[in-house]
Amino acid sequence: MHRSAAKRLLHYSFFCANRTSPIRTPLHSSPLRFLSSEPPFSDFNTRTSTTHHHHDTSHTHTHTDTSRTRRTTPTTPPRATYEEEQTRVLAASLHHVIRLGWSEAAMIAGARDVAVSPSIVGAIPRKEAALVEYFMDECLQKLIDMIDSDELQLKDLVASERIAKLIKARLQMQAPYISKWPQALSIQAQPSNISTSFKQRAMLVDEFCHASNDEGSGVDWYLKRSIVGGIYSTTEIYMLTDNSTDFDDTWVFLNERVRDAFDLKKTFQEVKYFAEAVGAGLGTSLQGFTKKGC
């Protein structure tokens, strides 16, 4: 199955990949030369003394220097990169969202959970937005995994049933955070975050349509995604006010919206004609406005 949605990386990266070329050291010198108990110029002092004393002293020093060269640095496990630490903090922060909301306080608590200095939170751009966007990316990846593993069993379903099942599976992921989800929507709607939020939702809707075996093109391609996106958003808002057990009323609402929208012989065609008419009218209006402006 074509995969058009992929896990978005975080928008911040402070360090490059691990160095591939080690630091060079001069030939015939010890890498731990200046970590020994002898002063840095002990070789020069010893060689000078051998010119006035016995030859055996030079031999003894050479033997000592060789043994020092054979010393090796103990191996230590590589330290996690800064970006990896940020990802760990964001993942741990989700456990505190229910109590602290999508906030910097939740991120600081998450940093402490994974034994990372809370100061790392200060280096994360758009802190609360980064936490919401991380959650959205994780949910998208989880949905993709469910589709690829056939956990949702979509093969024997028609397109409308697939869409309903996909939207339900995705919305169930944010059910544990429902009391704090209005805050998340508010964060996504902020001017500095709206672009990323739109892209994430577009990728989600695109995944819905691909998983439902949508092969539309042209106007139909855009219309179907607009309709599916509308169904998802309206169901998401309805879910915020649903007090029924296990959000049963929300799923009834979802199924009704999908059934109304997926009358492929009528609804899409009517919407297509409507959109074409609106587009034609908009073009005429713009031409008239331009002429008036001139």
Side-chain angles (χ1 to χ4, degrees):
M1 180 183 297
H2 173 67
R3 294 262 70 83
S4 64
K7 186 175 182 180
R8 182 179 60 82
L9 296 177
L10 297 176
H11 291 294
Y12 35 83
S13 177
F14 297 91
F15 289 89
C16 300
N18 294 331
R19 297 174 62 108
T20 56
S21 58
I23 300 175
R24 296 183 179 180
T25 57
L27 295 176
H28 308 296
S29 65
S30 169
L32 299 179
R33 182 182 184 86
F34 299 110
L35 297 182
S36 64
S37 58
E38 297 181 18
F41 301 102
S42 60
D43 290 346
F44 175 78
N45 294 333
T46 304
R47 285 195 299 269
T48 303
S49 63
T50 56
T51 60
H52 302 287
H53 295 85
H54 198 272
H55 175 72
D56 292 338
T57 306
S58 175
H59 176 73
T60 304
H61 172 75
T62 304
H63 175 73
T64 303
D65 186 67
T66 303
S67 63
R68 189 167 64 249
T69 304
R70 292 175 181 174
R71 292 168 58 186
T72 58
T73 305
T75 57
T76 56
R79 182 182 177 183
T81 65
Y82 205 67
E83 183 177 339
E84 289 172 346
E85 289 185 342
Q86 287 181 337
T87 302
R88 290 170 55 208
V89 168
L90 292 173
S93 301
L94 295 178
H95 299 292
H96 300 278
V97 167
I98 298 177
R99 181 172 59 91
L100 301 174
W102 305 90
S103 64
E104 185 175 350
M107 299 171 70
I108 292 175
R112 289 170 177 161
D113 286 349
V114 294
V116 174
S117 173
S119 62
I120 194 175
V121 176
I124 299 178
R126 301 180 304 111
K127 300 174 180 57
E128 295 83 356
L131 183 57
V132 175
E133 290 163 7
Y134 173 82
F135 174 76
M136 293 289 290
D137 283 341
E138 288 298 300
C139 289
L140 176 59
Q141 185 59 51
K142 185 176 181 180
L143 180 68
I144 292 174
D145 294 340
M146 294 172 69
I147 295 171
D148 291 342
S149 65
D150 199 29
E151 180 179 342
L152 298 177
Q153 299 180 349
L154 303 174
K155 294 180 180 179
D156 297 329
L157 303 179
V158 298
S160 60
E161 293 173 335
R162 291 183 180 186
I163 289 294
K165 199 165 189 177
L166 287 163
I167 293 178
K168 179 179 179 180
R170 171 58 185 85
L171 289 176
Q172 283 178 325
M173 297 179 191
Q174 62 195 50
Y177 308 93
I178 197 65
S179 63
K180 303 297 182 182
W181 198 247
Q183 180 190 7
L185 293 177
S186 176
I187 292 173
Q188 289 178 317
Q190 294 176 6
S192 59
N193 306 326
I194 190 67
S195 176
T196 301
S197 175
F198 179 80
K199 290 177 182 178
Q200 288 183 314
R201 288 177 178 267
M203 292 172 66
L204 176 61
V205 171
D206 196 53
E207 194 63 41
F208 288 155
C209 293
H210 277 294
S212 65
N213 287 341
D214 171 41
E215 300 296 339
S217 60
V219 176
D220 283 347
W221 190 93
Y222 292 101
L223 285 176
K224 289 178 182 178
R225 279 155 177 74
S226 298
I227 291 174
V228 172
I231 294 173
Y232 176 84
S233 297
T234 54
T235 306
E236 181 182 34
I237 298 300
Y238 186 93
M239 190 177 182
L240 296 177
T241 60
D242 186 5
N243 296 319
S244 63
T245 304
D246 296 328
F247 300 100
D248 289 339
D249 290 348
T250 297
W251 313 138
V252 172
F253 176 86
L254 170 62
N255 291 331
E256 290 176 349
R257 302 290 77 75
V258 171
R259 184 173 59 251
D260 292 342
F262 272 76
D263 183 359
L264 298 180
K265 293 181 180 180
K266 180 179 179 180
T267 303
F268 282 136
Q269 195 64 30
E270 289 180 348
V271 174
K272 176 181 178 181
Y273 292 151
F274 175 75
E276 291 175 346
V278 170
L282 181 61
T284 302
S285 299
L286 288 175
Q287 290 178 359
F289 178 79
T290 303
K291 291 179 179 179
K292 291 180 179 179
C294 295

